[in-house]
mmCIF file of all heavy atoms in Angstrom:
data_model
loop_
_atom_site.group_PDB
_atom_site.id
_atom_site.type_symbol
_atom_site.label_atom_id
_atom_site.label_comp_id
_atom_site.label_asym_id
_atom_site.label_seq_id
_atom_site.Cartn_x
_atom_site.Cartn_y
_atom_site.Cartn_z
ATOM 1 N N GLY A 56 0.808 -1.220 0.000
ATOM 2 C CA GLY A 56 0.000 0.000 0.000
ATOM 3 C C GLY A 56 0.835 1.262 0.000
ATOM 4 O O GLY A 56 0.382 2.322 -0.444
ATOM 5 N N CYS A 57 2.090 1.151 0.483
ATOM 6 C CA CYS A 57 3.014 2.295 0.472
ATOM 7 C C CYS A 57 3.745 2.423 -0.864
ATOM 8 O O CYS A 57 4.573 3.327 -1.039
ATOM 9 C CB CYS A 57 4.048 2.150 1.593
ATOM 10 S SG CYS A 57 3.367 2.290 3.252
ATOM 11 N N GLY A 58 3.481 1.483 -1.780
ATOM 12 C CA GLY A 58 4.131 1.537 -3.090
ATOM 13 C C GLY A 58 5.493 0.888 -3.134
ATOM 14 O O GLY A 58 6.288 1.151 -4.042
ATOM 15 N N ILE A 59 5.802 0.024 -2.163
ATOM 16 C CA ILE A 59 7.112 -0.635 -2.102
ATOM 17 C C ILE A 59 7.079 -1.944 -2.900
ATOM 18 O O ILE A 59 6.098 -2.694 -2.830
ATOM 19 C CB ILE A 59 7.493 -0.915 -0.636
ATOM 20 C CG1 ILE A 59 7.702 0.402 0.106
ATOM 21 C CG2 ILE A 59 8.752 -1.778 -0.536
ATOM 22 C CD1 ILE A 59 7.741 0.263 1.608
ATOM 23 N N ASP A 60 8.140 -2.211 -3.634
ATOM 24 C CA ASP A 60 8.275 -3.477 -4.345
ATOM 25 C C ASP A 60 8.805 -4.512 -3.359
ATOM 26 O O ASP A 60 10.015 -4.600 -3.105
ATOM 27 C CB ASP A 60 9.233 -3.327 -5.536
ATOM 28 C CG ASP A 60 9.446 -4.642 -6.278
ATOM 29 O OD1 ASP A 60 8.677 -5.598 -6.006
ATOM 30 O OD2 ASP A 60 10.367 -4.717 -7.113
ATOM 31 N N ILE A 61 7.914 -5.297 -2.793
ATOM 32 C CA ILE A 61 8.319 -6.220 -1.729
ATOM 33 C C ILE A 61 8.961 -7.490 -2.279
ATOM 34 O O ILE A 61 9.471 -8.301 -1.507
ATOM 35 C CB ILE A 61 7.124 -6.586 -0.818
ATOM 36 C CG1 ILE A 61 6.056 -7.363 -1.589
ATOM 37 C CG2 ILE A 61 6.538 -5.348 -0.177
ATOM 38 C CD1 ILE A 61 4.945 -7.905 -0.712
ATOM 39 N N THR A 62 8.941 -7.686 -3.600
ATOM 40 C CA THR A 62 9.555 -8.888 -4.178
ATOM 41 C C THR A 62 11.046 -8.699 -4.469
ATOM 42 O O THR A 62 11.732 -9.637 -4.847
ATOM 43 C CB THR A 62 8.844 -9.296 -5.482
ATOM 44 O OG1 THR A 62 8.931 -8.219 -6.418
ATOM 45 C CG2 THR A 62 7.381 -9.625 -5.214
ATOM 46 N N SER A 63 11.552 -7.481 -4.288
ATOM 47 C CA SER A 63 12.976 -7.230 -4.555
ATOM 48 C C SER A 63 13.823 -7.708 -3.370
ATOM 49 O O SER A 63 13.323 -7.819 -2.243
ATOM 50 C CB SER A 63 13.214 -5.733 -4.772
ATOM 51 O OG SER A 63 13.102 -5.031 -3.547
ATOM 52 N N PRO A 64 15.124 -7.969 -3.593
ATOM 53 C CA PRO A 64 16.002 -8.416 -2.493
ATOM 54 C C PRO A 64 16.504 -7.253 -1.651
ATOM 55 O O PRO A 64 17.676 -7.181 -1.288
ATOM 56 C CB PRO A 64 17.150 -9.104 -3.253
ATOM 57 C CG PRO A 64 17.228 -8.360 -4.539
ATOM 58 C CD PRO A 64 15.815 -7.975 -4.895
ATOM 59 N N HIS A 65 15.616 -6.330 -1.347
ATOM 60 C CA HIS A 65 15.948 -5.128 -0.575
ATOM 61 C C HIS A 65 15.139 -5.164 0.715
ATOM 62 O O HIS A 65 13.918 -5.347 0.679
ATOM 63 C CB HIS A 65 15.622 -3.876 -1.395
ATOM 64 C CG HIS A 65 16.060 -2.602 -0.737
ATOM 65 N ND1 HIS A 65 17.330 -2.072 -0.899
ATOM 66 C CD2 HIS A 65 15.406 -1.754 0.102
ATOM 67 C CE1 HIS A 65 17.422 -0.942 -0.199
ATOM 68 N NE2 HIS A 65 16.274 -0.734 0.419
ATOM 69 N N GLY A 66 15.794 -5.003 1.848
ATOM 70 C CA GLY A 66 15.113 -5.075 3.130
ATOM 71 C C GLY A 66 14.307 -3.830 3.447
ATOM 72 O O GLY A 66 14.786 -2.707 3.280
ATOM 73 N N THR A 67 13.070 -4.019 3.894
ATOM 74 C CA THR A 67 12.198 -2.916 4.287
ATOM 75 C C THR A 67 11.568 -3.245 5.631
ATOM 76 O O THR A 67 11.010 -4.336 5.803
ATOM 77 C CB THR A 67 11.072 -2.700 3.250
ATOM 78 O OG1 THR A 67 11.643 -2.488 1.955
ATOM 79 C CG2 THR A 67 10.220 -1.495 3.618
ATOM 80 N N LEU A 68 11.672 -2.319 6.582
ATOM 81 C CA LEU A 68 11.057 -2.517 7.901
ATOM 82 C C LEU A 68 9.756 -1.729 7.972
ATOM 83 O O LEU A 68 9.743 -0.500 7.864
ATOM 84 C CB LEU A 68 12.009 -2.072 9.016
ATOM 85 C CG LEU A 68 11.474 -2.152 10.461
ATOM 86 C CD1 LEU A 68 10.958 -3.539 10.792
ATOM 87 C CD2 LEU A 68 12.544 -1.746 11.454
ATOM 88 N N VAL A 69 8.663 -2.462 8.129
ATOM 89 C CA VAL A 69 7.336 -1.856 8.208
ATOM 90 C C VAL A 69 6.702 -2.199 9.549
ATOM 91 O O VAL A 69 6.734 -3.360 9.982
ATOM 92 C CB VAL A 69 6.420 -2.357 7.064
ATOM 93 C CG1 VAL A 69 5.020 -1.762 7.196
ATOM 94 C CG2 VAL A 69 7.005 -1.993 5.713
ATOM 95 N N ALA A 70 6.139 -1.201 10.208
ATOM 96 C CA ALA A 70 5.396 -1.422 11.454
ATOM 97 C C ALA A 70 3.970 -0.928 11.239
ATOM 98 O O ALA A 70 3.742 0.267 11.056
ATOM 99 C CB ALA A 70 6.049 -0.676 12.617
ATOM 100 N N ASP A 71 3.025 -1.866 11.202
ATOM 101 C CA ASP A 71 1.608 -1.519 11.036
ATOM 102 C C ASP A 71 0.954 -1.567 12.413
ATOM 103 O O ASP A 71 0.800 -2.641 12.997
ATOM 104 C CB ASP A 71 0.933 -2.502 10.075
ATOM 105 C CG ASP A 71 -0.537 -2.171 9.876
ATOM 106 O OD1 ASP A 71 -0.835 -1.079 9.358
ATOM 107 O OD2 ASP A 71 -1.392 -2.997 10.256
ATOM 108 N N ILE A 72 0.588 -0.391 12.922
ATOM 109 C CA ILE A 72 0.091 -0.292 14.297
ATOM 110 C C ILE A 72 -1.369 0.126 14.279
ATOM 111 O O ILE A 72 -1.710 1.266 13.972
ATOM 112 C CB ILE A 72 0.928 0.730 15.102
ATOM 113 C CG1 ILE A 72 2.411 0.383 14.967
ATOM 114 C CG2 ILE A 72 0.527 0.717 16.560
ATOM 115 C CD1 ILE A 72 3.323 1.552 15.170
ATOM 116 N N GLY A 73 -2.227 -0.829 14.575
ATOM 117 C CA GLY A 73 -3.659 -0.582 14.536
ATOM 118 C C GLY A 73 -4.287 -0.588 15.910
ATOM 119 O O GLY A 73 -3.638 -0.329 16.914
ATOM 120 N N SER A 74 -5.567 -0.943 15.945
ATOM 121 C CA SER A 74 -6.307 -0.955 17.201
ATOM 122 C C SER A 74 -6.027 -2.218 18.014
ATOM 123 O O SER A 74 -5.819 -2.158 19.220
ATOM 124 C CB SER A 74 -7.805 -0.851 16.906
ATOM 125 O OG SER A 74 -8.553 -0.963 18.080
ATOM 126 N N GLY A 75 -5.992 -3.365 17.326
ATOM 127 C CA GLY A 75 -5.821 -4.623 18.035
ATOM 128 C C GLY A 75 -4.379 -5.053 18.209
ATOM 129 O O GLY A 75 -4.001 -5.567 19.264
ATOM 130 N N THR A 76 -3.553 -4.862 17.165
ATOM 131 C CA THR A 76 -2.173 -5.339 17.207
ATOM 132 C C THR A 76 -1.207 -4.356 16.560
ATOM 133 O O THR A 76 -1.608 -3.491 15.780
ATOM 134 C CB THR A 76 -2.011 -6.693 16.464
ATOM 135 O OG1 THR A 76 -2.350 -6.490 15.083
ATOM 136 C CG2 THR A 76 -2.889 -7.769 17.051
ATOM 137 N N ALA A 77 0.067 -4.531 16.889
ATOM 138 C CA ALA A 77 1.154 -3.858 16.172
ATOM 139 C C ALA A 77 1.936 -4.963 15.480
ATOM 140 O O ALA A 77 2.496 -5.837 16.144
ATOM 141 C CB ALA A 77 2.043 -3.086 17.137
ATOM 142 N N ASP A 78 1.909 -4.965 14.148
ATOM 143 C CA ASP A 78 2.603 -5.988 13.361
ATOM 144 C C ASP A 78 3.857 -5.379 12.767
ATOM 145 O O ASP A 78 3.781 -4.448 11.967
ATOM 146 C CB ASP A 78 1.699 -6.514 12.251
ATOM 147 C CG ASP A 78 0.573 -7.382 12.786
ATOM 148 O OD1 ASP A 78 0.867 -8.475 13.265
ATOM 149 O OD2 ASP A 78 -0.593 -6.948 12.745
ATOM 150 N N ILE A 79 5.005 -5.939 13.142
ATOM 151 C CA ILE A 79 6.303 -5.407 12.692
ATOM 152 C C ILE A 79 7.027 -6.494 11.908
ATOM 153 O O ILE A 79 7.078 -7.650 12.346
ATOM 154 C CB ILE A 79 7.164 -4.973 13.901
ATOM 155 C CG1 ILE A 79 6.376 -4.023 14.809
ATOM 156 C CG2 ILE A 79 8.447 -4.307 13.448
ATOM 157 C CD1 ILE A 79 6.230 -4.462 16.217
ATOM 158 N N ALA A 80 7.583 -6.138 10.749
ATOM 159 C CA ALA A 80 8.268 -7.140 9.946
ATOM 160 C C ALA A 80 9.327 -6.520 9.051
ATOM 161 O O ALA A 80 9.188 -5.372 8.610
ATOM 162 C CB ALA A 80 7.268 -7.917 9.095
ATOM 163 N N VAL A 81 10.386 -7.295 8.804
ATOM 164 C CA VAL A 81 11.394 -6.959 7.797
ATOM 165 C C VAL A 81 11.055 -7.788 6.566
ATOM 166 O O VAL A 81 11.016 -9.023 6.636
ATOM 167 C CB VAL A 81 12.815 -7.267 8.284
ATOM 168 C CG1 VAL A 81 13.827 -7.000 7.175
ATOM 169 C CG2 VAL A 81 13.148 -6.440 9.519
ATOM 170 N N ILE A 82 10.783 -7.114 5.456
ATOM 171 C CA ILE A 82 10.297 -7.776 4.251
ATOM 172 C C ILE A 82 11.371 -7.745 3.164
ATOM 173 O O ILE A 82 11.990 -6.704 2.917
ATOM 174 C CB ILE A 82 9.011 -7.082 3.741
ATOM 175 C CG1 ILE A 82 7.941 -7.116 4.835
ATOM 176 C CG2 ILE A 82 8.500 -7.737 2.469
ATOM 177 C CD1 ILE A 82 6.805 -6.176 4.620
ATOM 178 N N SER A 83 11.546 -8.889 2.516
ATOM 179 C CA SER A 83 12.499 -9.002 1.410
ATOM 180 C C SER A 83 12.121 -10.205 0.556
ATOM 181 O O SER A 83 11.691 -11.234 1.099
ATOM 182 C CB SER A 83 13.926 -9.168 1.941
ATOM 183 O OG SER A 83 14.843 -9.376 0.892
ATOM 184 N N LEU A 84 12.229 -10.079 -0.768
ATOM 185 C CA LEU A 84 11.919 -11.170 -1.706
ATOM 186 C C LEU A 84 10.514 -11.741 -1.494
ATOM 187 O O LEU A 84 10.287 -12.948 -1.590
ATOM 188 C CB LEU A 84 12.960 -12.289 -1.583
ATOM 189 C CG LEU A 84 14.353 -11.966 -2.147
ATOM 190 C CD1 LEU A 84 15.350 -13.057 -1.787
ATOM 191 C CD2 LEU A 84 14.288 -11.798 -3.653
ATOM 192 N N GLY A 85 9.567 -10.862 -1.203
ATOM 193 C CA GLY A 85 8.175 -11.272 -1.079
ATOM 194 C C GLY A 85 7.826 -11.977 0.208
ATOM 195 O O GLY A 85 6.677 -12.386 0.416
ATOM 196 N N GLY A 86 8.795 -12.137 1.105
ATOM 197 C CA GLY A 86 8.541 -12.818 2.365
ATOM 198 C C GLY A 86 8.994 -11.984 3.549
ATOM 199 O O GLY A 86 9.561 -10.902 3.387
ATOM 200 N N MET A 87 8.725 -12.485 4.751
ATOM 201 C CA MET A 87 9.123 -11.793 5.973
ATOM 202 C C MET A 87 10.308 -12.517 6.603
ATOM 203 O O MET A 87 10.195 -13.679 6.989
ATOM 204 C CB MET A 87 7.952 -11.718 6.950
ATOM 205 C CG MET A 87 6.760 -10.937 6.421
ATOM 206 S SD MET A 87 5.500 -10.638 7.682
ATOM 207 C CE MET A 87 5.154 -12.294 8.227
ATOM 208 N N THR A 88 11.437 -11.821 6.676
ATOM 209 C CA THR A 88 12.639 -12.419 7.264
ATOM 210 C C THR A 88 12.489 -12.520 8.780
ATOM 211 O O THR A 88 12.767 -13.551 9.385
ATOM 212 C CB THR A 88 13.877 -11.565 6.929
ATOM 213 O OG1 THR A 88 13.932 -11.376 5.516
ATOM 214 C CG2 THR A 88 15.150 -12.235 7.399
ATOM 215 N N ILE A 89 12.072 -11.433 9.387
ATOM 216 C CA ILE A 89 11.831 -11.368 10.832
ATOM 217 C C ILE A 89 10.482 -10.683 11.023
ATOM 218 O O ILE A 89 10.183 -9.688 10.352
ATOM 219 C CB ILE A 89 12.916 -10.542 11.557
ATOM 220 C CG1 ILE A 89 14.308 -11.147 11.336
ATOM 221 C CG2 ILE A 89 12.622 -10.444 13.059
ATOM 222 C CD1 ILE A 89 14.533 -12.475 12.011
ATOM 223 N N SER A 90 9.660 -11.193 11.935
ATOM 224 C CA SER A 90 8.366 -10.549 12.187
ATOM 225 C C SER A 90 7.963 -10.721 13.644
ATOM 226 O O SER A 90 8.433 -11.628 14.334
ATOM 227 C CB SER A 90 7.285 -11.135 11.278
ATOM 228 O OG SER A 90 7.024 -12.474 11.612
ATOM 229 N N LYS A 91 7.091 -9.831 14.081
ATOM 230 C CA LYS A 91 6.589 -9.909 15.459
ATOM 231 C C LYS A 91 5.229 -9.221 15.543
ATOM 232 O O LYS A 91 5.019 -8.168 14.944
ATOM 233 C CB LYS A 91 7.573 -9.232 16.421
ATOM 234 C CG LYS A 91 7.161 -9.337 17.891
ATOM 235 C CD LYS A 91 8.283 -8.927 18.831
ATOM 236 C CE LYS A 91 7.908 -9.181 20.275
ATOM 237 N NZ LYS A 91 9.023 -8.969 21.197
ATOM 238 N N THR A 92 4.317 -9.842 16.263
ATOM 239 C CA THR A 92 3.012 -9.241 16.532
ATOM 240 C C THR A 92 2.948 -8.880 18.008
ATOM 241 O O THR A 92 3.111 -9.749 18.872
ATOM 242 C CB THR A 92 1.864 -10.201 16.181
ATOM 243 O OG1 THR A 92 1.867 -10.438 14.773
ATOM 244 C CG2 THR A 92 0.519 -9.590 16.563
ATOM 245 N N TYR A 93 2.732 -7.597 18.279
ATOM 246 C CA TYR A 93 2.592 -7.123 19.663
ATOM 247 C C TYR A 93 1.107 -6.853 19.894
ATOM 248 O O TYR A 93 0.520 -5.973 19.264
ATOM 249 C CB TYR A 93 3.417 -5.847 19.858
ATOM 250 C CG TYR A 93 3.482 -5.366 21.282
ATOM 251 C CD1 TYR A 93 4.245 -6.024 22.242
ATOM 252 C CD2 TYR A 93 2.783 -4.220 21.679
ATOM 253 C CE1 TYR A 93 4.302 -5.574 23.552
ATOM 254 C CE2 TYR A 93 2.843 -3.756 22.984
ATOM 255 C CZ TYR A 93 3.600 -4.436 23.927
ATOM 256 O OH TYR A 93 3.658 -3.992 25.224
ATOM 257 N N LYS A 94 0.485 -7.650 20.772
ATOM 258 C CA LYS A 94 -0.971 -7.630 20.892
ATOM 259 C C LYS A 94 -1.497 -6.620 21.911
ATOM 260 O O LYS A 94 -2.484 -6.874 22.592
ATOM 261 C CB LYS A 94 -1.484 -9.032 21.217
ATOM 262 C CG LYS A 94 -1.229 -10.024 20.084
ATOM 263 C CD LYS A 94 -1.931 -11.338 20.297
ATOM 264 C CE LYS A 94 -1.765 -12.240 19.093
ATOM 265 N NZ LYS A 94 -2.487 -13.513 19.224
ATOM 266 N N THR A 95 -0.836 -5.487 22.003
ATOM 267 C CA THR A 95 -1.306 -4.400 22.865
ATOM 268 C C THR A 95 -1.122 -3.102 22.091
ATOM 269 O O THR A 95 0.004 -2.643 21.924
ATOM 270 C CB THR A 95 -0.502 -4.345 24.179
ATOM 271 O OG1 THR A 95 -0.476 -5.648 24.757
ATOM 272 C CG2 THR A 95 -1.141 -3.381 25.168
ATOM 273 N N ALA A 96 -2.219 -2.538 21.603
ATOM 274 C CA ALA A 96 -2.098 -1.346 20.753
ATOM 275 C C ALA A 96 -3.206 -0.327 21.058
ATOM 276 O O ALA A 96 -3.421 0.010 22.222
ATOM 277 C CB ALA A 96 -2.100 -1.763 19.285
ATOM 278 N N GLY A 97 -3.912 0.126 20.033
ATOM 279 C CA GLY A 97 -4.864 1.227 20.190
ATOM 280 C C GLY A 97 -5.980 0.985 21.190
ATOM 281 O O GLY A 97 -6.300 1.856 22.006
#
């Protein structure tokens, strides 16, 4: 949604922080190398 090409071999750190959870992940080659869901948010 941010316009990032997530299939490239370039690391991108995205933190999506909503009402129920905060989802944080490092994305590269269309997958998540490292990810974490923090279940205390809005």
Side-chain angles (χ1 to χ4, degrees):
C57 292
I59 294 166
D60 178 12
I61 65 172
T62 59
S63 72
H65 186 87
T67 304
L68 177 54
V69 178
D71 180 63
I72 308 155
S74 175
T76 62
D78 288 291
I79 308 122
V81 176
I82 302 164
S83 176
L84 288 172
M87 298 189 304
T88 307
I89 301 291
S90 67
K91 183 168 186 172
T92 295
Y93 187 73
K94 295 190 174 183
T95 310

